[in-house]
Amino acid sequence: MRSPGHAGPALGAVVVWMIAAQVALHAQMAGVRLLLPLQVLDDGGGALGAGLLQGLFAVLPVLLALPAGRLADRHGYHRPQRAAIACALLGSACAWAATVWAEARAPLQALAALASGAGANIGLIALMRSAGRLSDDPARRLRLFGWVGVAPALANVLGPVGIGQLIDHAGWAWAAASTLALPVLAALVVTRVPPEPRPAPPACPAARDPAGGRFALLRRPGMPALLAVNALLSATWDVHTFAVPLLGHARGLSAGTIGLVLGCFTATVTLVRPVAPLLADHVRPLTVLRTAMVAAGGVCLVYPWSQGALSMAACAMALGLALGAVQPMVMATLHQLTPAARHGEAIALRSMTINASAAVLPLIFGLAGAGFGVGMLFSIMGLAVGAGSQIVPRLVRVLAARS
C-alpha cells in the first residue's frame, strides 16, 4: 500500500519513521518536564514554584500552534520538524546548563521549559496533520490515529522513567545531558520520511475555505463542542502529570518510583491507543468517548485515597486506560468536521486549547495544592470531566446531520 501523499516507501514504513521521530522529540520534553519540577522541589521550592515552571511548557505551544499548523499545511512535514528539533536541542541544552550554573538556574529552567514544550508540540502538529492525509478511508484513518497516538504515550513512558532513574543513580547533570541525544536521534529519523508534494495553491482565497478568517473553524458546527471535550480530557491528563510528583514527594517516594508511576499511566495509554479503534467496528466512536470520560472522572475521585506506590500505579493504569481510548476518536472526529485544506490549522486549534489550559492550570493547581491539598485537585477534575461527558451528544447530532 502506498501513501497518497508520499512516493516510495510503503505507508507502514512511513508511519513507523514518523512515529519514531515524534517519540524522540516527545521523550525529550517529557524527561525535562519531570526533571525541572523535581529540581525545584529538591532546591526547597514548593508546589507553586513547580506549577509555574510546569505551566511554561505550554506557553509557546499556545502562541506557535497556528503558525505551526499553517506551516504544515503549506510546506508539509519536514520544515516544521526541523523547527521542532531545533527547539528541543535548545531546551535540553538549557536544562543541562541549569544543573551546573546555579546562579542562573531559574531563567535557564524557564527557557528549557519554553523551548522543550515548543519542540514537542510543533512536531506533533506536523505528525498529526501528515498522518491524517495518508488515507482517505475513515476506518483506516482512525486506525492510523490510533498508532500515531502511540508516539506521545510511549515517549511519556520512556522520558519520565529514564530521567527518574538517571537522577537517582547518576545525578541531575547527567540526567539533563542525556536528553540532548533525543533531538539528535529525531533529526536522523526524519531523513527517512520522504517529502510529500506541495499542494497547488487555490485559484482564489475563497477556494481554501469559504468561511475564511483566522478563527473561522471555530464557527463550524460541532467544533466548539469537540474542543471543549478535548480540553477537559487534556486537563485531566495535566492534573495527573502535575499532582503525581507532588503526591509521591509528600509520601516519601523516590524520583525513580515517581517516574515509574507516571510510566505505568503512559504505558497503559500506549497499549490501548492502537487497540481503541478496533472498538469502532462494534461501538460508535463517540460512545467510546463518552464512556471513557465517565470512567476517567471516577478514577480521579478514587486517586486521592491511594496511599502507596502500588495503589498509585493501579490508579494510574486505570486512568491511562480511559484517557488512552479517546485520542483516536477525537482526531478522527476533528478530520470529519474540517475541510481538507485546513487540517493542519484545525489540529493547531486543538493544540491551542490544550496548551492554553496547560499553561494556566499548573498555576491554579499549585495554588489549590498549596491551599487545599493535592487530593482536592483530583476530586475537582473528576467531577468536571464526568459532567463534561454530557457534551458528547451534541457531537453525535452534528455528525448525524452531516451524514
Side-chain angles (χ1 to χ4, degrees):
M1 181 177 60
R2 301 287 183 182
S3 160
H6 294 77
L11 172 62
V14 172
V15 173
V16 167
W17 290 120
M18 292 168 68
I19 290 174
Q22 187 60 33
V23 167
L25 281 174
H26 218 93
Q28 182 274 337
M29 185 275 295
V32 173
R33 190 172 59 187
L34 177 68
L35 184 146
L36 296 182
L38 286 178
Q39 193 174 39
V40 169
L41 294 172
D42 190 66
D43 288 341
L48 181 57
L52 282 169
L53 188 58
Q54 202 159 43
L56 291 178
F57 281 88
V59 171
L60 285 185
V62 173
L63 299 177
L64 298 178
L66 277 178
R70 288 170 178 160
L71 184 67
D73 282 334
R74 290 194 303 268
H75 299 285
Y77 175 78
H78 285 83
R79 189 174 294 187
Q81 285 294 340
R82 288 194 289 271
I85 290 165
C87 289
L89 281 170
L90 176 61
S92 288
C94 291
W96 172 80
T99 66
V100 297
W101 191 4
E103 295 80 1
R105 179 164 293 169
L108 284 169
Q109 287 175 331
L111 186 55
L114 290 167
S116 298
N121 193 64
I122 293 170
L124 189 60
I125 288 172
L127 169 63
M128 291 293 188
R129 179 259 179 199
S130 295
R133 297 170 65 87
L134 289 177
S135 178
D136 295 326
D137 178 64
R140 183 175 296 165
R141 184 186 296 131
L142 184 62
R143 289 193 292 272
L144 278 173
F145 280 128
W147 282 107
V148 166
V150 168
L154 180 60
N156 281 320
V157 177
L158 299 177
V161 171
I163 289 298
Q165 295 299 321
L166 282 170
I167 291 171
D168 285 346
H169 296 101
W172 299 101
W174 280 105
S178 70
T179 65
L180 282 163
L182 294 169
V184 174
L185 177 62
L188 295 174
V189 171
V190 161
T191 62
R192 305 300 300 268
V193 179
E196 61 184 273
R198 289 181 61 179
C204 61
R208 188 167 184 264
D209 185 355
R214 179 178 292 268
F215 294 104
L217 290 177
L218 291 176
R219 297 193 293 271
R220 296 185 70 84
M223 184 63 73
L226 182 63
L227 293 177
V229 165
N230 197 83
L232 280 170
L233 293 167
S234 176
T236 307
W237 190 306
D238 289 337
V239 164
H240 186 263
T241 301
F242 174 82
V244 165
L246 296 179
L247 204 61
H249 187 267
R251 291 173 181 170
L253 302 182
S254 68
T257 303
I258 294 169
L260 286 171
V261 171
L262 292 173
C264 287
F265 168 75
T266 45
T268 308
V269 172
T270 304
L271 293 173
V272 77
R273 276 184 173 171
V275 177
L278 301 179
L279 295 174
D281 296 334
H282 310 285
V283 184
R284 289 188 304 178
L286 291 179
T287 301
V288 176
L289 181 59
R290 189 177 188 183
T291 303
M293 292 180 74
V294 173
V299 175
C300 285
L301 292 175
V302 172
Y303 217 125
W305 301 98
S306 60
Q307 294 299 317
L310 289 178
S311 58
M312 288 177 65
C315 288
M317 293 174 68
L319 190 61
L321 184 66
L323 295 182
V326 301
Q327 189 263 2
M329 315 302 172
V330 169
M331 292 304 304
T333 305
L334 186 72
H335 270 67
Q336 288 180 269
L337 294 176
T338 55
R342 301 188 78 168
H343 281 163
E345 192 172 342
I347 294 168
L349 277 176
R350 170 182 174 267
S351 175
M352 284 181 67
T353 59
I354 291 172
N355 287 291
S357 65
V360 175
L361 288 179
L363 176 58
I364 298 174
F365 296 161
L367 292 170
F372 303 104
V374 178
M376 182 64 68
L377 299 179
F378 278 114
S379 300
I380 293 172
M381 198 67 249
L383 294 173
V385 74
S389 66
Q390 301 305 312
I391 302 173
V392 177
R394 302 181 196 174
L395 292 171
V396 175
R397 291 192 292 270
V398 169
L399 292 180
R402 287 174 63 88
S403 62

